[in-house]
Structure formats: structure tokens, C-alpha cells
Amino acid sequence: MRYTIQSLLLLPALMIISSCGNSGQKGGPAGAAPQVKEYKVLELQPRSATLNTDYPASIQGQQNIEIRPRVDGYVEKIFVDEGAVVRKGQPLFKINAPQFEQEVRTATASIKAAEADVSAANMAVNKVKPLVEKDIVSKFELESAQYTYQAKLAALAQAKAALSNARTNLGYTTVTSPVDGVVGAIPFRLGSLVSGNNAEPLTTVSSTGNVYAYFAFNEKLLLHFFKDGSGMTLAQRLAKLPEVSLILSDGTLYDHKGRIQTITGQINTTTGSANVRASFPNPKGMIRSGSSATVRIPDPIKDALLVPQSATFELQDKRFAVVVDKDGKTKSTAIKVMKNTAGTYFVVEEGLKAGDKIVLEGVATLKDDTQIKVSPVSDAIVYADLK
């Protein structure tokens, strides 16, 4: 192919024109409006819901009873193992104390001797009585015989009391559980010498028919829970509180509900909190003393504005939400939320009102007066996991 001089001179001009045309197709003319980005937006309306607040708690049995011997002796038998579930009155230990068996035998023999003395004294009374009636002997003889009889009766009663005491002491050689519960550690073994003066108990039995969950309320939360309560006394106010739930250490929800029973009357000045005790039934003995759990307290909220926590951001100790006006422009608005709000929602106390439209995502990077395309999201989707 041959090119003329004219065509070669026109070639650069054609390339420049072509280049300008392609540039306009790719980026558009200078000064064109940027593309408006789409954001999900929720219109706020008052809602009623139940928010849950969780508190870490430690579990204790209703009673942790130290089992100590009441007599001195050697451990002869151990009837249970550590961790065993026992019933009230069930034998735990047998202590070898032969002196108490000897006391029982001695007291039994003393009773037989005393009974013989009573019989002899009674015979003496019966023998003297007709002689007095016939004036053969004086009344003094009869009274003396009667006093002797009464003394022998007293000696018999004393012998019976000694036998009862000996049997009681002998009974102490078998150590039984005072309550239904779970056996703790057993530091002593067969043949160990034990007494009531030992520093360590034989074992500990934790009564777990009911268990106590101990946790703490801060001062503001304490006021919040009681501000709507009725009743003059603490017991009346506690009775108005809702039932609480227990989340076990593996994250599962415990089958039985519990109730808050006590709140300490004094707030700890160091921590600013008050100790709280909730009681839970434990019929199967599933929860053991010393374990950890979480107490969940429901907090009913009526006609409140709830915003997802992900739709807010924090800046310089203030929390903000992004509101969209009728023209589709954004504005960051400072809000005040309820301090004890837990879970995935905030309860707004100040800064927003019913009918406001807020951006649900990417709010931390949105600048004020940004033009956005509104994509409305229904309440059913936003509050799907809210009870």
C-alpha cells in the first residue's frame, strides 16, 4: 500500500481526534456529577420490646456444710466417694471409737442393776405397809422404805439417761449427711485419726436442691430497676421484679427460671455496685457449687426508639447516628442511649424522634451533606431477632 505525502500529514491530526473521542467515552466530560451511592435506611417508629441484660455470676449451693466428727477416733469406713450425690441421713463415714461401745454395755448393765434395786425397794414397801396397818411397826419404817424406793427409781432413771447418752455418743461414730447434696473433697483416708479439733473437715456437703447465683448491680442500674417498682419495703419491690434466666458456662440456657431474692443494703464505694443474689431450683443436681454462669435479666421497654448498634458510631465519647433528610442528604446526629442497654440494639433517650430516617450501614465513613440514594428497609427485617 502506498501513502501520499498529504495522507501522511493528516495522520497525526486523525489520531488526536480519535484519542479525544475515546477519552470522552471512558470518563465523560469534565465536571460531570459523581455517581450517587445507595444505602439502606430505616424509618424509626416507637416499639415495645424486652431487652436482656447479662451479668457474670458465680454459683454457690444453698448450703455448704462442713462435716466434722463429734467424737475422736480412727476412720474405719468411708461409705461415699468425692462428688457423690447423697440424701439427708445417708451414712458418710464410720469412726472406730470402741470406748463408746463399752459405755453402752456398762450403761445397759447399770440399768439392770437399778431395776433390781427398784424391785427390792418395792418389795420392802409392800412388806412394811401391812405391819404398819397392824401397828406392829411404826410409820417411820414405812416412810423410810418408801424413800428408799423413790431413790432407787431415781437411780434407774439416771442409769437410763446414761444409756441414752452412751447410745448418742455411739451414734456419732457413724457420720451422716445433714442435707441432700453433693460430697466435696475427702482429705482423710482409712485409718486416719480424726477429732473435732482437726483444721480440715471430713468433707463438705453442698446442698444443691436450690443454687444461688451471685452478681453485682451498679448504682445507676439499681435505680433503673427500682424506679418503676411498687411497694414500700425491699421485699415488696423484689417481688415485682421479673423472673431471671441462667446461661450455663457452655452457653446453653438453663431449663428453670429463678428470682432475685436479696440485694445488699450498702453500695461498695470501691466498685460502685451492690451485690445481688438470685435463687434457681436445681432438682436434678445439674449445677454444682463453685461453677460460673451468666444471669440474664429481662427489661421490658414500652414505646421506645430502638436503633441497631451497628447503625451508630462513637467519636470523642459521644455516640452518633446518621440521619437522612427529605432531599437524601446525610447529617451526623449526636444521640443519648440507655446505659444498661445490652444485645444488638440501643434504646435512644435523646437525639432522635419518631419518623427520622437513619442509615443502617457504613455510617462511620459517611460525611455530612453527602447525597445518597435511599433504600428503605422494613422493620420486620431490622428487628427480626428482637423479642
Side-chain angles (χ1 to χ4, degrees), residues 194-324:
V194 294
S195 71
N197 297 324
N198 287 125
E200 288 185 298
L202 293 174
T203 188
T204 300
V205 175
S206 299
S207 175
T208 55
N210 289 294
V211 292
Y212 292 144
Y214 291 90
F215 57 102
F217 272 172
N218 63 48
E219 186 176 357
K220 292 183 179 180
L221 185 59
L222 192 62
L223 292 173
H224 169 72
F225 271 98
F226 281 116
K227 68 179 181 180
D228 297 328
S230 59
M232 298 298 295
T233 65
L234 177 62
Q236 290 173 344
R237 290 179 176 272
L238 289 175
K240 297 294 183 180
L241 293 179
E243 289 185 321
V244 297
S245 302
L246 191 68
I247 301 174
L248 304 179
S249 56
D250 62 354
T252 59
L253 187 65
Y254 186 51
D255 294 337
H256 301 278
K257 297 283 188 179
R259 297 203 68 89
I260 294 177
Q261 289 188 328
T262 63
I263 298 177
T264 54
Q266 187 174 5
I267 294 176
N268 189 314
T269 56
T270 303
T271 61
S273 61
N275 292 327
V276 185
R277 188 186 77 195
S279 177
F280 292 86
N282 189 30
K284 298 180 180 179
M286 177 179 178
I287 305 176
R288 298 298 177 92
S289 182
S291 59
S292 60
T294 300
V295 174
R296 173 167 290 175
I297 302 179
D299 187 11
I301 301 296
K302 295 182 179 180
D303 298 330
L305 295 180
L306 274 67
V307 299
Q309 293 186 7
S310 59
T312 68
F313 65 95
E314 196 170 0
L315 182 64
Q316 296 180 350
D317 297 329
K318 291 185 178 180
R319 188 161 296 278
F320 293 85
V322 177
V323 179
V324 183

Side-chain angles (χ1 to χ4, degrees), residues 362-377:
V363 293
T365 58
L366 264 178
K367 296 181 180 180
D368 286 355
D369 295 324
T370 300
Q371 185 72 45
I372 66 170
K373 182 179 179 181
V374 174
S375 175
V377 180

Side-chain angles (χ1 to χ4, degrees), residues 333-344:
T333 302
I335 61 175
K336 181 181 178 182
V337 299
M338 188 179 295
K339 294 296 183 182
N340 68 310
T341 305
T344 58

Side-chain angles (χ1 to χ4, degrees), residues 45-49 301-306 379-380 383 386:
Q45 296 296 336
R47 300 183 63 87
S48 296
I301 301 296
K302 295 182 179 180
D303 298 330
L305 295 180
L306 274 67
D379 292 0
Y383 303 110
L386 183 67

